Amino acid sequence: MIAQKISLKKTIHGACHLISGSLEIRRYASPRVSYQRLYHKSTRVLRQLNGGAEKRLPCSILTDIDLIESIPLEDVRNFCIVAHVDHGKSSLASRILELTGNLGVEQQWAAIEHAGWTDRYKKPTLHSNHKSVLAAADKEQIELLDTLAVERERGITVKASAATMLYPHPSAKGPNGVLLLNLIDTPGHIDFGTEVTRTLSSVQGAVLLFDAAQGPQAQSISVHEKAKKMDNVKTIIPVLTKVDLPAARTLDVSLSVSELFDHDPDTILHTSARSRIGISDVLDAVCKDIPPPVKLPDDDDKILRAKVVDSWFEPQRGVVCLVQVLSGELHEACRVSIIEPYKNAASSRTPDLSEHWSNAKEHYSIQDVGLVLPKRLRTKRIRRGQLGYVIVGLRDPRQAKPGAIMTLQKDLGTVLNMHLPRPSIFEENASKSVLYASVHPMEGEGFDDLAAAVDRLALNDTGLEIHRTAGNSNSDGGPFLGPGLRVGFQGLLHVEVFQQRLADEQGLKAIVTPPKVPYRVTYLPSKSNKRSYDAPETEIIEDLSKWPGQGVRFKVEEPMVDVRIMAPIDYAGSIMDLIKRKRGVDMESKPIDEYTFLFTAVMPWGEVVTSFFDDLKNCSAGYASFDYKESDPPFRESNLCKVDIVLNGDVVDPLAFVCHKDSAYEQGKAVCKKLQDVLPRQQFVTVIQAKADSKIVASERIRAYRKDVLKTGGSKTVGGGDITRKKKLLEKQKKGKKRAQSTGRVTLSQAAFNSVISR
């Protein structure tokens, strides 16, 4: 063909002559443009004219990293993958990385062969052991983006992960015909919804997955609503996954998605990560339907403004930031400042002015910068439209929170008066804690290490809300636990993952008390117990040690949530009974299709966070899914009481809980029984009591270890048959046990606190 018969220079001029009227070539035919760059453009046009006769090697960011310098902002696509838990987000992401070449030449060529694209590309030189590499990669590699130990152990995604790719597509406007794709994989569980919200604020499109066997689930509706509320998310691409399963209901699920989310059934893509079906269709839809990021209003591409999307702590390098460059260029050795929005910036109606941003007095020198593939690739600089990592030597995690803006130190004064993206009200509300628990070190002197470790975890877990308590021995945990931290969480799974990450990543084991929901208490007028003049009439109680005592007249309101449950129709009766047992009201149900029902109800949040999820799975054989959101109004008055747990006469505040008065005896008895099973046996009797409204409603005892004092050794009996000698020894033992019971200390383990959660 033409490109094979003539030289490089003749190829360029020949291409220009063939399409002399085309602005596409003349636009790049200038003295300032290198022949190599023009050659890429001309050969692409020649391939189009010749019916694609010339083959080229597959494009990959590993082999064609130099192409990113010539990719304009119009050829950038920022998108994320969202779905219900276990609907195949990480599996699809791994296949996308495979097809785009981020995992290596061998795996990319295997994906090309499976897609039937061997006529488009020239076969690359493969490694000698490429067959073993392909055999190992035949199954989707979900661990590529699930990098945390807790993610691999539990098989779920709890942390959003990013990757940058190159993908050739006809919609590209740049000289090389290649698009720059920034992919972010998100968690699916509702407890990590803040990760999804933060990710959606940084992209222009989302790929919404649905399991072809299960159909739409509760969290599918939730993430779709979040994406719709984001002004920057312009496109939502519906995709069916696992279409190769024998149980797949492709047509039925497509119709359900169409009815629930108002999508044309013909536009829903069908994929399977296991069989590599439809992977290229997803990429083509992303390139075609998702718009590029919009330039800032005052963007001159000179002044650096980079948004911190995520950050994490590494012991050797310190704080690592994942940034999205909005304008300008970020390169190594330059000095930068980090400015953060004030907390009330989103609620203000004034324009983006400097009063909404805290001016960072410190500045740092950039040590390392590059792209995430998802492994880090050092490029020494990143420019507008790119998503990359930055290391500036930060040791304090609080100095680089997500949402902050990184700019050059010399331009700080100018940037404060320019357009700066700030978090929306929806983003700020998404990080509100719904559960509160106390975190205590195993040893009393380990409080400082615990506080530092929790701060590092909070850097890349915006769902955590940390309040430091006083450092005395009775703060928050009482005499049983000592000093601790008050931490807000997004749900029970969030609590479990936090505890496991604390042990895996920071090497610390801690005791986490049973999570409590916030209650609103309104004090009523009382002649016998008058409050001070400046005391508030209404307050939110998160710590039950501040619960009003006896003799105080008050009313209490509990937080309510709107619960949405999706389950097979066969389990409708048992699910409705469960909702009634958990004091749910305003229950409604409607069919989604001939197999699935959608149940909605308003329920007390305190009932949901105990054992509701386990009970729901039990009564539906594991098929039901649910999500929740704050109800309107968020609080409702109820007849509640506080139940204290007493060990040998000492009230253990961390074990206290609040329940409806009608179920105080039942739940108090259940907790006492579980504590009897998990508390260690002592040399003295342990008395476990549950007390509600100053009345003992339940009680259990743990028998003490008892030494046979009538034996002196072997089988010899004391006293030779004299009863007075025996009685004297037994009475002495009895007094010692009584003295030990008054001075002894009961050791509380994590299992003791878990018994209150699953009561």
Side-chain angles (χ1 to χ4, degrees), residues 208-243:
L208 179 57
L209 305 187
F210 303 94
D211 191 312
Q214 299 180 16
Q217 298 295 308
Q219 191 65 6
S220 306
I221 303 175
S222 177
V223 294
H224 184 269
E225 291 176 350
K226 287 182 179 181
K228 282 292 187 181
K229 290 179 181 178
M230 292 290 187
D231 295 334
N232 56 286
V233 178
K234 307 299 183 183
T235 306
I236 299 176
I237 302 174
V239 176
L240 292 191
T241 62
K242 308 180 184 180
V243 296

Side-chain angles (χ1 to χ4, degrees), residues 236-240 254 262-270 285 289:
I236 299 176
I237 302 174
V239 176
L240 292 191
S254 297
D262 195 24
H263 287 293
D264 185 354
D266 295 333
T267 63
I268 300 175
L269 304 178
H270 296 175
D289 299 334

Side-chain angles (χ1 to χ4, degrees), residues 30 137 235 240 279 418 460 468 475 498 521 637 661 670:
S30 64
T235 306
L240 292 191
I279 308 301
M418 299 180 70
N460 61 350
R468 294 178 181 270
S475 67
F498 165 81
V521 173
E637 185 177 355
K661 284 188 176 181

